[in-house]
Amino acid sequence: MKLTVDKILKNSDIRKLGYIKICKPLDLGLESRNFLLITPSNKYVLKSYKNTLLNEVIFETSILSHLKRFNNKFPSPIRKVFYINSLPCVLYTFIEGRGLVPHDINISTLQKVAELQALIHKNLVNFIPDGNRERFSIFDLSFVDDFRCDCSREDTLLIKNCRDWLVTRLNRFKRSNFPKSIIHEDLEMENILVDRKGDVKFIDFGESHRAEVVSDIAITIKELIVNNYGTNTNNLIGAYLDAYEVNNPVLNVVQLKVLYTLFVRRGLFMFSYFLNKQAKNKDLFLSRRIKIERKTLKLLLLPNDLEQKIISFKL
């Protein structure tokens, strides 16, 4: 059932905030919806979860409550989960800033992102949240079948080629004991905010779960650097890895060797996911996102020296 401003304002939990000056949608998220609520004294974000189990929502709020110590670097839950139209909802503190755009992707910003990501991993490595959330293992490519849909012959072939390439590559690392923590899993441009002072903050922990730290690093590098600069990115990736390692020295040569493979895995996941969502709902306007993933995957499958340069990074 669609969530509307009128239904939000009539909810008893929302009315406890007092007079709501402004209530408006912030986005059209694929798995959740966010609304900005402004009272005379505060700003809040109402997040409603469309396809999420209560246990997973509790997992997310538990993590963000624990991260409250970082002083407005992440949204913090205001109160426990409540329901509007049978949808689980959470009120969060409002985090000032705007999403990253391509001209933000420079060494200074990347170092700040890597530092904050490293601090999360270090802070959450032994934390046991309430609730539970499971996601695909980095060695599990079954999402290709889960997201299968009608698409062009070109895209079908690209997906097959990527999957075949990944099966061979990932098998090399199945016995590796990669360090784990609770990771964000979706640090893309829109989920990293930068404020007027140039400080970075992370939002949308809807994919967070316990998994390999290197997966989170690979996703972030792929989304921020490779998507914007292609494979000619060595200085930026080196700066990112260096800043991460200074704050959480857990990287090793084996993790460097798997990074490039995980770039392709992330690209294939997002490409398949966006194609599936677009096939189900033509009104989502995902053509730009699909185009970016298609271009990135094709580049990564072409011969280049980026992988070797990453492996040569000095820890």
Side-chain angles (χ1 to χ4, degrees):
M1 191 176 294
K2 187 176 180 181
L3 192 60
T4 65
V5 169
D6 184 58
K7 291 173 182 176
I8 291 171
L9 293 177
K10 289 180 178 178
N11 177 264
S12 59
D13 287 274
I14 297 298
R15 294 175 69 176
K16 291 176 184 177
L17 296 174
Y19 172 60
I20 306 293
K21 293 169 52 179
I22 295 175
C23 176
K24 65 178 183 179
L26 280 175
D27 58 35
L28 293 172
L30 297 179
E31 303 299 338
S32 63
R33 288 208 68 190
N34 294 298
F35 292 80
L36 174 64
L37 305 180
I38 302 179
T39 70
S41 57
N42 284 302
K43 293 182 180 180
Y44 307 92
V45 170
L46 171 68
K47 183 174 182 178
S48 68
Y49 299 79
K50 293 187 287 187
N51 302 304
T52 308
L53 298 174
L54 176 60
N55 211 29
E56 294 184 318
V57 179
I58 292 172
F59 182 90
E60 182 176 339
T61 57
S62 180
I63 291 169
L64 289 169
S65 293
H66 183 74
L67 293 176
K68 191 179 295 185
R69 67 192 68 186
F70 282 92
N71 295 327
N72 298 319
K73 288 292 186 179
F74 318 102
S76 298
I78 302 297
R79 56 185 62 158
K80 294 182 179 180
V81 181
F82 59 96
Y83 288 82
I84 303 178
N85 285 353
S86 300
L87 294 173
C89 298
V90 177
L91 269 174
Y92 289 99
T93 55
F94 178 80
I95 301 297
E96 296 285 351
R98 59 167 177 79
L100 295 182
V101 294
H103 76 252
D104 292 315
I105 308 305
N106 52 52
I107 287 178
S108 176
T109 301
L110 290 170
Q111 287 173 331
K112 293 174 183 177
V113 172
E115 176 182 356
L116 190 56
Q117 183 185 43
L119 291 176
I120 288 178
H121 294 163
K122 191 172 183 178
N123 191 265
L124 294 176
V125 66
N126 295 316
F127 178 63
I128 302 176
D130 298 327
N132 185 54
R133 180 182 284 151
E134 299 292 338
R135 290 295 183 264
F136 290 99
S137 158
I138 60 172
F139 302 108
D140 182 2
L141 300 177
S142 63
F143 61 81
V144 174
D145 295 323
D146 291 351
F147 296 149
R148 192 181 302 278
C149 62
D150 291 332
C151 57
S152 70
R153 293 177 64 183
E154 178 189 7
D155 286 343
T156 300
L157 181 60
L158 178 59
I159 290 171
K160 180 183 183 302
N161 289 342
C162 288
R163 184 176 190 171
D164 292 345
W165 187 93
L166 282 167
V167 167
T168 302
R169 287 299 198 94
L170 288 172
N171 278 338
R172 301 175 188 172
F173 300 97
K174 278 194 172 181
R175 295 185 179 180
S176 301
N177 187 22
F178 294 126
K180 292 185 177 183
S181 181
I182 294 173
I183 65 174
H184 185 285
E185 184 75 357
D186 197 23
L187 284 175
E188 60 176 6
M189 304 281 280
E190 295 175 353
N191 291 336
I192 302 173
L193 305 184
V194 59
D195 64 18
R196 294 179 181 180
K197 297 179 180 178
D199 293 331
V200 300
K201 302 139 182 211
F202 298 163
I203 60 172
D204 194 354
F205 281 69
E207 296 300 319
S208 57
H209 65 290
R210 185 168 295 278
E212 293 81 0
V213 163
V214 69
S215 174
D216 213 28
I217 294 171
I219 288 170
T220 309
I221 292 175
K222 182 265 177 190
E223 293 293 330
L224 271 56
I225 304 176
V226 180
N227 274 11
N228 286 295
Y229 289 94
T231 55
N232 186 24
T233 61
N234 185 54
N235 290 338
L236 293 175
I237 292 178
Y240 191 97
L241 291 173
D242 187 57
Y244 182 94
E245 181 69 6
V246 166
N247 291 278
N248 191 30
V250 298
L251 297 176
N252 57 33
V253 174
V254 180
Q255 289 173 87
L256 294 181
K257 287 181 178 179
V258 79
L259 266 179
Y260 191 92
T261 299
L262 294 179
F263 295 163
V264 178
R265 187 191 181 283
R266 169 66 174 187
L268 179 59
F269 183 94
M270 298 312 300
F271 187 53
S272 303
Y273 174 77
F274 288 141
L275 284 172
N276 178 273
K277 289 294 184 181
Q278 187 71 87
K280 290 180 176 178
N281 186 350
K282 301 298 182 183
D283 294 332
L284 290 177
F285 302 110
L286 293 171
S287 58
R288 184 185 69 85
R289 303 294 295 271
I290 292 170
K291 183 178 179 180
I292 290 172
E293 299 301 337
R294 182 187 294 118
K295 178 181 178 182
T296 299
L297 281 174
K298 288 181 177 180
L299 280 174
L300 289 171
L301 292 185
L302 290 174
N304 65 79
D305 61 356
L306 178 59
E307 182 173 22
Q308 190 56 49
K309 288 180 177 178
I310 294 173
I311 294 172
S312 300
F313 175 74
K314 301 298 181 182
L315 293 169

